[in-house]
Amino acid sequence: MNNYARIPLLLSMFVFISSTSFAVDFDPDDLGDESNGKNWLTHGRTHSEQRYSPLNQINVDNIANLGLAWSVELPDARHLVSTTLAIDGVLYVTGSFSVVTAIDARTQKVLWRYDPKVVDHAGDTLRVLWGTSRGVGYWDGKIYVGAGDGRLIAVDAKTGEEIWSTMTVEPGSFYYITGAPRTFNGKVIIGNGGTEMGPARGYVTAYDAETGEQAWRFYLVPGNPADGFEDNAMRMAAATWTGEWWKHGGGGNAWNAITFDPEYNHIYIGTGNGSPWNRTIRSPGGGDNLFLCSIVAVDADTGKYKWHYQTVPGETWDFNSAMDIVSVDLKVKSRTIKALMHAPKNGFFYIINRLNGRLLSAKPFAKVTWATEVDMKTGKPIEVEGSRYESGEVLMWPGPLGAHNWQPMSWNPEHQLMYFTVHDIAGYYNDTKIRKADYQASGHTFEAGVSFFDNDVPVDSAINSIVAWDPITQKPAWQVSTPPGWHAGTMATAGNLVFQGLGNGQFIAYQGDTGEKLWEYDAKHGISAPPITFELDEKQLIALPVGWGSGMAMLGGSMGAQHGWIYGGHPRRLLVFALEGQAALPLTPGPRFVKPVDDPAFEIDAELAAAGKDHWVENCAWCHGPAVVASGGAPDLRGSGIVFDSNAFRKIVLEGQRIGRGMPKFPNLDESHLNALRHYIRQEARGALSKKTDVAQAN
Ligand code: HEC
């Protein structure tokens, strides 16, 4: 190039740099590029959330040679449920309480660790905060962290230094963040959770990715009409509510799924259940209650309503449409359908036209007894009479845990199959004990307006499988049963492989088109996070955080406890796999189980124990498990000597002695509550000791 030619080029480069704010190595289009497998740039790898990597160096022919290449210990982590991001050779792993660790994949060194100090910021929210975090977002040199206490924080991807921080929820309210922020068009968007923790009104907020300034907010359920509506969408939604729903918040919180569609410039929001669950309380005259349990499309630039599709009108079972929303170009004969695919808790697999929200198909993928089918004329489910527990208790499939929950699904565009974990697990609903007429949730305790956490969850409560769902036939192409328990999300690759980690610690690869199990690795600890894959120095690597976590580790009872991932018992790690990987896993203890303790001199008062059970369900079961059966996310109090010591018990429960370790304080309780709780805990411990078969032997 001669000097004359260089001048205009330099000039144009100058214009380029000064007129745009992003770094030279950042191309916003990469987040939508399905063909480039080098990085994993956003929660679902690309905007489409397909979790499909075009990398095929690891494939069906050589998968037998896949082995552990290296691992990094994550000593402070508990729940590891997050999707790792891989950006230019750096891995960003999100642990519990939104702590982010950046690891150089070349040197395997920790580059930085960012701790947003969630416990210090949480206040009373700590009482409802599990510390789970499903990951971070990325845009132009910045990593975005949704902190459990409600802050959205931008940190420098290179240094981990905080750049900006903004509070996305009203301080003192009942919202918390577990979801991964998503980025698009120079913005970052986040929702929140908290529908069963007090009156909650769901919304999502988009911020300027550079400055943290609010760009727009979209509410998901209407507020009090007397205060005026934010927009016409809220006016329309309000016509589907009855009574004084705003006093109960309404719900609809978007705690997980948000998908950006660059083609139509839409944001698809997956909305949550009602607050409280029980519709007879929040909307006593009935009604669909928009936009609960829906996919809502809004304009990505303005946040203005475009369309919605509601999967569960008049939601009353803790059903959600917060499960991931995957954007797909579905090829049917010679046509290409611009579709969204969605397999929410309610057990139906939905295909929706993403331009206009029209329902194209909905068929059950699991055991479903609450509805017989979805009527294609109205787009609404045909409910089975009695499912609404309006005339008493109901046992039905699925239940609040869902036939498919937040565990991400993945799509293979070549075979046109969607891979996801399915749980056939029932729900038991009974509101006869609830004072419905004057019901008002007090906040920061578990209050769903229906009994749910009263009893343990038996070991074999769920029949599980991984399914390769064919959306064209709306039937499984293959389905392989997985052991009882609660398993993680999947990843599909162009190597014709599907990867999934199981609650029992097995990491498995299946052949994508046939479901043949090709490879298995024992990670020696429960897997709750989905794997990712990326390329470094022309080598394909697979990264997987290993560390039992999520709601199943908190309120899964015996079902969650069965693998022996006792609280604090096993190291948390990031494992990285490669062809010819030969690394050994560091020494790991085997499964460990709680050993209940008893003092025969402690006389259990049945009446006190019964009162204690109610306090337990409202305040403690959320983390320590139903019927005092913990499943790993918090200590099993049947084995805790502290319960015998009323002073030590008070210091922890009332005075907050262990707050720094995530054990909240309960200023709403007094000595008499504590006494009742101790009688209940002792009763359950003694009960467990008397039927030894229920509790595995201590190590
Ligand atoms: C938000 C989750 C959460 C809730 C809700 C919760 N706990 Fe905890 N609790 C924890 C965690 C986590 C620990 C472990 C802290 C540590 O590592 O020391 C813990 C520890 C404890 C301990 C100490 C046990 C031991 O042997 O070390 C007691 C006692 C306890 N909790 C009682 C209760 C009671 C009673 C309630 C209900 C009033 C309750 N907790 C509600 C999370 C929770």
Side-chain angles (χ1 to χ4, degrees), residues 178-361:
T178 56
R182 308 300 205 281
T183 54
F184 61 96
N185 298 352
K187 294 186 179 64
V188 50
I189 183 168
I190 192 76
N192 47 55
T195 33
E196 35 285 293
M197 296 310 163
R201 182 186 179 204
Y203 59 84
V204 297
T205 319
Y207 298 89
D208 183 300
E210 194 60 35
T211 64
E213 229 168 280
Q214 182 171 324
W216 51 261
R217 174 167 289 180
F218 183 79
Y219 283 94
L220 300 166
V221 296
N224 184 351
D227 298 337
F229 296 111
E230 286 83 3
D231 49 39
N232 282 334
M234 287 299 102
R235 183 167 294 112
M236 166 178 82
T240 66
W241 291 75
T242 53
E244 296 179 306
W245 70 87
W246 58 91
K247 291 188 174 163
H248 302 288
N253 299 54
W255 53 270
N256 185 47
I258 296 177
T259 300
F260 171 58
D261 181 342
E263 226 171 319
Y264 297 136
N265 205 34
H266 285 168
I267 292 283
Y268 306 111
I269 308 157
T271 75
N273 52 287
S275 176
W277 296 1
N278 194 335
R279 186 183 65 170
T280 55
I281 295 171
R282 53 163 212 269
S283 188
D288 285 354
N289 293 184
L290 291 174
F291 298 108
L292 294 186
C293 217
S294 305
I295 295 177
V296 186
V298 299
D299 181 278
D301 294 333
T302 62
K304 290 269 175 297
Y305 168 88
K306 288 280 187 179
W307 57 255
H308 76 275
Y309 174 75
Q310 187 175 42
T311 56
V312 184
E315 196 289 307
T316 197
W317 305 277
D318 187 32
F319 284 166
N320 282 220
S321 265
M323 289 66 242
D324 47 350
I325 301 166
V326 183
S327 173
V328 163
D329 285 350
L330 184 65
K331 305 211 167 40
V332 189
K333 295 188 184 135
S334 57
R335 283 182 60 210
T336 299
I337 297 175
K338 304 280 178 188
L340 292 179
M341 296 199 189
H342 185 51
K345 280 186 181 180
N346 75 13
F348 286 92
F349 192 96
Y350 295 87
I351 306 172
I352 293 162
N353 181 324
R354 59 181 205 253
L355 175 65
N356 53 26
R358 205 159 57 84
L359 177 68
L360 301 175
S361 175

Side-chain angles (χ1 to χ4, degrees), residues 2 27 58 80 96 122 162 206 211 264 270 287 300 410 466 485 490 495 503 534 551 576:
N2 65 36
D27 181 348
I58 300 168
L80 285 179
S96 34
E162 192 172 309
T211 64
Y264 297 136
S410 59
I466 176 172
T490 67
F534 63 103
V576 176

Side-chain angles (χ1 to χ4, degrees), residues 325-671:
I325 301 166
V326 183
S327 173
V328 163
D329 285 350
L330 184 65
K331 305 211 167 40
V332 189
K333 295 188 184 135
S334 57
R335 283 182 60 210
T336 299
I337 297 175
K338 304 280 178 188
L340 292 179
M341 296 199 189
H342 185 51
K345 280 186 181 180
N346 75 13
F348 286 92
F349 192 96
Y350 295 87
I351 306 172
I352 293 162
N353 181 324
R354 59 181 205 253
L355 175 65
N356 53 26
R358 205 159 57 84
L359 177 68
L360 301 175
S361 175
K363 293 284 182 214
F365 62 83
K367 179 166 175 173
V368 173
T369 67
W370 70 280
T372 51
E373 61 180 309
V374 176
D375 181 336
M376 291 305 293
K377 279 201 205 80
T378 60
K380 293 187 177 189
I382 299 174
E383 286 177 20
V384 173
E385 220 181 291
S387 305
R388 288 186 175 267
Y389 52 89
E390 279 164 354
S391 45
E393 58 183 359
V394 160
L395 181 76
M396 61 170 227
W397 279 261
L401 290 171
H404 169 233
N405 207 307
W406 59 271
Q407 295 93 336
M409 49 190 194
S410 59
W411 170 251
N412 183 318
E414 189 190 336
H415 303 312
Q416 299 215 106
L417 295 176
M418 190 71 85
Y419 308 106
F420 56 102
T421 181
V422 178
H423 316 283
D424 279 328
I425 177 163
Y428 166 78
Y429 303 84
N430 182 347
D431 68 359
T432 49
K433 265 170 62 187
I434 311 283
R435 290 156 55 108
K436 281 168 283 212
D438 57 357
Y439 181 95
Q440 188 62 47
S442 54
H444 293 124
T445 53
F446 179 85
E447 287 161 285
V450 52
S451 301
F452 176 61
F453 292 133
D454 290 19
N455 301 310
D456 186 18
V457 186
V459 169
D460 54 357
S461 300
I463 298 172
N464 301 292
S465 56
I466 176 172
V467 67
W469 191 259
D470 178 346
I472 294 174
T473 61
Q474 285 278 49
K475 287 200 173 84
W478 55 261
Q479 187 156 17
V480 174
S481 33
T482 43
W486 189 249
H487 308 307
T490 67
M491 171 182 75
T493 73
N496 191 14
L497 295 168
V498 189
F499 291 85
Q500 185 194 24
L502 303 185
N504 65 10
Q506 297 300 313
F507 184 37
I508 297 175
Y510 299 94
Q511 181 160 331
D513 53 349
T514 63
E516 191 187 337
K517 193 201 263 189
L518 299 177
W519 178 85
E520 194 167 5
Y521 180 87
D522 183 3
K524 298 206 184 311
H525 192 195
I527 302 168
S528 303
I532 64 142
T533 187
F534 63 103
E535 194 180 69
L536 184 70
D537 303 333
E538 279 156 40
K539 203 167 173 183
Q540 184 183 358
L541 298 167
I542 292 170
L544 177 75
V546 175
W548 180 237
S550 90
M552 187 49 57
M554 288 309 212
L555 41 82
S558 291
M559 181 173 153
Q562 63 181 300
H563 308 301
W565 312 132
I566 200 169
Y567 178 72
H570 300 84
R572 267 64 177 160
R573 303 179 168 128
L574 178 75
L575 306 190
V576 176
F577 297 87
L579 290 176
E580 323 300 342
Q582 300 279 344
L585 201 61
L587 213 61
T588 312
R592 293 170 59 189
F593 296 90
V594 65
K595 188 177 186 185
V597 289
D598 196 14
D599 172 4
F602 191 108
E603 273 183 42
I604 296 168
D605 179 316
E607 225 166 275
L608 275 177
K613 180 175 178 173
D614 289 342
H615 309 324
W616 180 266
V617 168
E618 277 186 18
N619 298 282
C620 319
W622 189 240
C623 295
H624 290 281
V628 205
V629 181
S631 40
D636 193 310
L637 297 189
R638 295 172 306 168
S640 170
I642 289 167
V643 185
F644 294 111
D645 181 340
S646 58
N647 254 334
F649 193 66
R650 181 194 325 107
K651 283 213 167 75
I652 292 176
V653 183
L654 289 195
E655 294 167 22
Q657 195 187 49
R658 300 264 185 100
I659 273 193
R661 311 242 337 126
M663 166 59 201
K665 65 175 175 187
F666 289 83
N668 57 318
L669 303 181
D670 61 24
E671 287 293 339

